[in-house]
């Protein structure tokens, strides 16, 4: 999907469950901003659908708080070779949302240590984790990093969201998203371990339906090795 220069923040026309989820998630983000200050918060952003939804929720929260000129620190950690489409989408998002992007390569733990060493004022990281993600079932909206990790608070505003709700939020508010999702990808890793979801293969056996057509959220990672 091509980037739309209009960033919508009015959820009045959204489905009722989406409006309630937005209210809850924006409340968590607002609490984080009130606790730590927007300048002391980083957003983890890899171009995937969940953190794309989170980015737009942050935009809504900042709009409600009249923090229109806030330039949010955003960290992108490249673990392996990424898709060019994802990298292009991240670059477009930086411009569209006016992000202050910090790029790190390698594994997540040392990358976060680097971030904390370089920017010790960062106290919390907003993450697009959902409870159905691996190892996420017991997470809470505010939870410190595990022992041996950097001294950071993980803030998880969309823990309770389902796969379907993420996509309905994105589509109902016309949130820009990575075009790979229109080609049948439902969960994005790297170029070596990610393929279109077989559950979305069209009847012609050649093309794939968009990610938002997946009706069984349990198959979200079916295209990942």
């Amino acid at each position: 999907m091509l980037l739309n220069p209009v960033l919508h923040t009015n959820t009045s026309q959204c489905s009722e469950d989406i409006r309630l989820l937005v209210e809850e998630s924006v409340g968590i983000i607002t609490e984080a901003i009130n606790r730590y200050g927007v300048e002391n918060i980083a957003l983890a952003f890899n171009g995937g659908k969940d953190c794309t939804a989170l980015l737009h929720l942050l935009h809504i929260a900042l709009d409600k708080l009249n923090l229109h000129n806030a330039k949010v620190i955003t960290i992108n950690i490249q673990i392996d070779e990424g898709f060019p489409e994802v990298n292009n989408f991240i670059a477009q998002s930086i411009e569209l949302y006016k992000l202050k992007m910090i790029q790190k390569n390698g594994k997540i733990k040392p990358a976060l240590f680097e971030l904390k060493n370089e920017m010790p004022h960062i106290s919390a990281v907003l993450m697009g984790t959902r409870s159905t993600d691996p190892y996420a079932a017991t997470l809470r909206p505010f939870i410190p990093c595990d022992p041996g990790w950097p001294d950071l608070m993980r803030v998880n505003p969309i823990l309770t969201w389902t796969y379907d709700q993420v996509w309905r939020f994105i589509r109902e508010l016309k949130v820009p998203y990575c075009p790979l999702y229109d080609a049948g990808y439902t969960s994005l890793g790297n170029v070596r371990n990610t393929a279109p979801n077989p559950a979305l293969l069209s009847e012609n056996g050649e093309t794939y339906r968009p990610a938002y057509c997946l009706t069984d959220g349990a198959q979200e990672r079916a295209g990942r090795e």
Side-chain angles (χ1 to χ4, degrees), residues 2-45:
L2 295 178
L3 283 176
N4 185 333
V6 179
L7 295 175
H8 301 281
T9 59
N10 186 350
T11 61
S12 61
Q13 300 303 312
C14 291
S15 306
E16 182 179 4
D17 64 323
I18 299 300
R19 291 200 308 272
L20 293 173
L21 283 170
V22 169
E23 182 179 352
E24 177 186 4
S25 298
V26 167
I28 293 169
I29 294 170
T30 300
E31 182 179 348
I33 292 173
N34 290 336
R35 279 195 199 184
Y36 306 108
V38 67
E39 69 280 3
N40 300 319
I41 294 174
L43 168 74
F45 185 70

Side-chain angles (χ1 to χ4, degrees), residues 18-192:
I18 299 300
R19 291 200 308 272
L20 293 173
L21 283 170
V22 169
E23 182 179 352
E24 177 186 4
S25 298
V26 167
I28 293 169
I29 294 170
T30 300
E31 182 179 348
I33 292 173
N34 290 336
R35 279 195 199 184
Y36 306 108
V38 67
E39 69 280 3
N40 300 319
I41 294 174
L43 168 74
F45 185 70
N46 64 5
K49 63 186 179 305
D50 296 327
C51 59
T52 293
L54 175 60
L55 172 60
H56 199 75
L57 287 165
L58 173 60
H59 177 74
I60 293 173
L62 293 174
D63 183 70
K64 289 181 179 294
L65 294 169
N66 293 316
L67 294 172
H68 307 291
N69 297 319
K71 203 160 188 177
V72 178
I73 296 168
T74 308
I75 181 169
N76 172 244
I77 303 173
Q78 287 276 2
I79 300 175
D80 292 296
E81 183 181 358
F83 288 91
E85 294 89 343
V86 175
N87 295 334
N88 289 338
F89 173 69
I90 290 172
Q92 291 170 326
S93 298
I94 291 170
E95 181 177 352
L96 184 62
Y97 287 91
K98 304 190 185 315
L99 306 174
K100 181 179 180 181
M101 179 65 73
I102 297 172
Q103 179 74 52
K104 296 293 181 183
N105 295 311
K107 296 189 178 298
I108 296 175
K109 186 174 181 178
L112 289 178
F113 269 115
E114 284 185 28
L115 173 69
K116 188 65 175 176
N117 289 335
E118 295 168 4
M119 308 185 78
H121 64 283
I122 296 297
S123 301
V125 179
L126 298 173
M127 307 188 74
T129 305
R130 290 185 290 119
S131 60
T132 53
D133 291 338
Y135 313 110
T138 61
L139 293 182
R140 303 184 301 276
F142 289 84
I143 186 167
C145 284
D146 294 333
W149 284 67
D151 182 18
L152 292 166
M153 179 66 72
R154 290 174 288 172
V155 183
N156 304 297
I158 64 168
L159 274 179
T160 62
W161 291 46
T162 65
Y163 177 89
D164 173 68
Q165 288 167 334
V166 168
W167 274 114
R168 285 197 288 122
F169 169 74
I170 288 173
R171 299 190 72 217
E172 289 180 15
L173 278 183
K174 298 180 173 61
V175 178
Y177 60 85
C178 177
L180 284 177
Y181 289 113
D182 285 336
Y185 292 81
T186 54
S187 178
L188 299 179
N190 60 63
V191 296
R192 290 186 294 275

